[in-house]
């Protein structure tokens, strides 16, 4: 594993109208504690706002948190805006309450990994670190 010139930069976002943010805040905190630089955008973000923040913050990873059932449409829109900004290399992951039957669709549209409620913090940290190392 190569030595990184800077910490992994992660944007945690809650697209859509879902205001339940405890899980997103927890993930942001543990990623910070693992040595990553984390920006949390807060709830009720549009896909365009998420992509713009990712560009401005020069992130390696975007974590999208969902509890409202709007994950497919919001992931599509975030990925579309990232592509328009030339940010196809950003790793996009999603987590929260996402039905298992929706995971293949999310993967097909470009989401790298989906974390369900049973995912451990260690699993998330290890995945992010490994995914960024593979993309360097």
């Amino acid at each position: 594993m190569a030595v990184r010139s800077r910490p992994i930069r992660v944007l945690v976002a809650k697209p859509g109208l879902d205001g339940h943010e405890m899980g997103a805040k927890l993930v942001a905190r543990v990623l910070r504690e693992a040595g990553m630089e984390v920006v949390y955008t807060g709830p009720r973000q549009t896909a365009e706002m998420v992509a713009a923040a990712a560009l401005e913050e020069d992130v390696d990873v975007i974590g999208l948190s969902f509890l409202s059932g709007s994950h497919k449409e919001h992931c599509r829109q975030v990925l579309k805006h990232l592509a328009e900004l030339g940010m196809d290399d950003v790793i996009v992951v999603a987590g929260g309450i996402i039905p298992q039957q929706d995971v293949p669709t999310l993967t097909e549209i470009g989401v790298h990994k989906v974390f369900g409620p049973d995912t451990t913090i260690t699993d998330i940290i290890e995945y992010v670190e490994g995914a960024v190392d593979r993309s360097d």
Side-chain angles (χ1 to χ4, degrees):
M1 186 184 315
V3 176
R4 296 190 54 78
S5 60
R6 66 175 174 95
I8 295 171
R9 294 185 56 81
V10 181
L11 178 82
V12 177
K14 297 258 331 147
L17 298 177
D18 176 14
H20 297 91
E21 58 184 332
M22 186 180 352
K25 285 181 173 182
L26 172 65
V27 169
R29 188 184 86 228
V30 298
L31 293 177
R32 274 189 205 104
E33 290 172 358
M36 299 178 204
E37 292 180 0
V38 181
V39 175
Y40 175 54
T41 62
R44 299 178 185 92
Q45 300 291 298
T46 67
E48 192 170 12
M49 291 163 70
V50 172
L55 178 65
E56 182 177 323
E57 297 293 341
D58 190 27
V59 299
D60 304 298
V61 178
I62 299 172
L64 302 173
S65 173
F66 298 101
L67 297 177
S68 65
S70 62
H71 46 275
K72 289 190 279 187
E73 183 56 30
H74 286 294
C75 285
R76 271 191 194 93
Q77 290 300 312
V78 168
L79 290 160
K80 176 183 146 249
H81 288 293
L82 289 172
E84 290 169 357
L85 294 171
M87 298 181 67
D88 295 2
D89 59 336
V90 173
I91 297 161
V92 177
V93 299
I97 307 300
I98 298 174
Q100 193 60 39
Q101 67 264 22
D102 291 347
V103 172
T105 300
L106 294 174
T107 302
E108 287 171 21
I109 64 172
V111 174
H112 291 78
K113 179 78 172 170
V114 177
F115 298 106
D118 59 344
T119 304
T120 69
I121 296 304
T122 303
D123 291 341
I124 295 169
I125 293 167
E126 288 177 354
Y127 181 83
V128 169
E129 289 174 341
V132 171
D133 284 344
R134 285 189 301 275
S135 71
D136 283 344

